[in-house]
Amino acid sequence: MSYLKRGNSFKISKDDFVKYRPEMAIEYHKWELIMPFHGTGGLMLRQEVFRPEDFDTPENCYEAMCDMVRGCQMAGMEYYVFCDDKLVMGF
């Protein structure tokens, strides 16, 4: 992401976000799912990356990411979806 660190804060621009479009499910993208949780010793993050080269079709890549999102939803976990290093809005 294109963060500019200034002291203890980050400057985030509109270029760090992408609005979800249905066409994204049939295009090759690198999808990431970040799940924050509180483990022993404080806040921890789990990151899963779904790379296009690991799947036969873009639909399979997208569906693998969606399977994990559904698991987070069923477990009541927080999660953040990124597409090509941009936070997906309206997923």
Side-chain angles (χ1 to χ4, degrees):
M1 293 194 175
S2 57
Y3 294 127
L4 295 176
K5 188 169 182 172
R6 196 177 313 160
N8 289 333
S9 64
F10 290 96
K11 182 177 179 185
I12 300 173
S13 76
K14 65 179 180 169
D15 296 332
D16 293 318
F17 301 89
V18 65
K19 184 170 170 59
Y20 176 77
R21 301 176 279 100
E23 303 85 46
M24 295 170 85
I26 58 171
E27 302 167 347
Y28 272 118
H29 294 284
K30 178 180 113 182
W31 294 94
E32 293 178 75
L33 189 65
I34 296 179
M35 300 154 279
F37 60 94
H38 296 282
T40 307
L43 181 66
M44 301 175 82
L45 297 173
R46 178 176 175 189
Q47 177 183 13
E48 291 292 329
V49 180
F50 304 90
R51 293 180 178 83
E53 58 269 15
D54 296 335
F55 297 89
D56 295 336
T57 65
E59 292 89 351
N60 289 346
C61 183
Y62 178 78
E63 190 56 36
M65 184 271 304
C66 285
D67 283 344
M68 187 156 279
V69 166
R70 284 188 283 275
C72 290
Q73 291 171 339
M74 287 175 47
M77 292 178 63
E78 241 183 283
Y79 63 91
Y80 301 94
V81 176
F82 292 83
C83 178
D84 300 328
D85 298 323
K86 294 182 180 188
L87 182 62
V88 178
M89 303 303 293
F91 183 77

